[in-house]
């Protein structure tokens, strides 16, 4: 399972999705969360989280503000973005079509050992990434305790 889990999306992309879910779970109760606070809540390095968030801001998937009450937040329109949008910006859409063994010439005619077996899994993952938006992840996270996330204190 570790083998398959690590080949779908990169660790950086997983951080981006977890961060997005965390930020979305606060909407509309909190306007913004700092990168440092977010990093502590998702258990990741603050510098890495800040860099990932800046990429999302640069591609207009996330907003940020400066100052004493500054931080990262989603506009209502940004909450409608899909998980595939985050994956595309961080890893590239093609990551979902690459060979699970890393072969450059993997196809129906010239397939790797897992090509046929993995196609159904790949199709399912694509479906989830294309059909799930950021707001849905945020709502799900705000409703229940999820491993890898600390509870957001503002919902007590």
């Amino acid at each position: 399972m570790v083998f398959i889990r690590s080949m779908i999306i990169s660790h950086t992309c997983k951080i981006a999705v977890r961060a997005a879910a965390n930020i979305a779970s606060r909407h509309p109760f909190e306007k913004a969360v700092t990168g440092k606070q977010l990093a502590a809540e998702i258990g990741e390095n603050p510098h890495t989280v800040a860099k990932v968030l800046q990429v999302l801001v640069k591609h207009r998937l996330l907003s940020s503000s400066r100052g004493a009450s500054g931080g990262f937040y989603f506009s209502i329109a940004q909450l409608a973005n899909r998980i595939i949008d985050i994956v595309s910006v961080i890893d590239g859409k093609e990551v979902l079509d690459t060979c699970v063994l890393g072969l450059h010439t993997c196809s129906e005619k010239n397939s790797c050992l897992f090509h046929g077996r993995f196609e159904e899994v790949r199709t399912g993952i694509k479906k989830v990434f294309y059909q799930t938006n950021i707001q849905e992840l945020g709502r799900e996270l705000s409703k229940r305790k999820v491993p890898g996330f600390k509870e957001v204190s503002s919902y007590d």
Side-chain angles (χ1 to χ4, degrees):
M1 187 62 175
V2 172
F3 175 69
I4 290 176
R5 207 178 75 195
S6 66
M7 73 177 113
I8 306 300
I9 58 175
S10 70
H11 182 69
T12 302
C13 192
K14 291 173 190 175
I15 291 171
V17 172
R18 287 173 42 219
N22 185 292
I23 296 166
S25 74
R26 300 164 186 275
H27 188 80
F29 305 107
E30 289 180 47
K31 182 64 176 169
V33 61
T34 66
K36 187 175 181 180
Q37 180 183 359
L38 186 59
E41 290 176 6
I42 65 171
E44 294 293 342
N45 179 294
H47 300 292
T48 304
V49 171
K51 287 180 182 179
V52 168
L53 295 177
Q54 286 304 326
V55 171
L56 297 179
V57 169
K58 178 182 176 184
H59 286 88
R60 299 178 186 204
L61 296 176
L62 180 66
S63 296
S64 66
S65 61
R66 295 181 185 209
S69 61
F72 297 93
Y73 62 94
F74 286 110
S75 68
I76 292 171
Q78 289 168 329
L79 287 168
N81 286 318
R82 300 164 299 156
I83 303 310
I84 192 63
D85 299 322
I86 295 173
V87 172
S88 297
V89 164
I90 302 296
D91 285 348
K93 245 184 219 180
E94 65 277 358
V95 73
L96 300 176
D97 294 317
T98 58
C99 174
V100 297
L101 295 180
L103 302 177
H104 296 289
T105 59
C106 189
S107 65
E108 286 293 324
K109 290 183 179 180
N110 190 20
S111 62
C112 75
L113 299 171
F114 288 106
H115 190 82
R117 293 179 178 112
F118 197 73
E119 197 56 39
E120 189 176 325
V121 173
R122 181 190 324 273
T123 301
I125 291 168
K126 282 182 179 180
K127 183 177 178 182
V128 169
F129 286 176
Y130 274 94
Q131 292 181 352
T132 307
N133 68 33
I134 294 168
Q135 185 173 29
E136 291 173 82
L137 286 186
R139 281 186 185 148
E140 182 70 22
L141 181 57
S142 68
K143 289 179 186 176
R144 64 185 182 98
K145 192 172 186 170
V146 178
F149 293 89
K150 292 185 180 174
E151 290 188 53
V152 178
S153 58
S154 64
Y155 295 117
D156 291 343

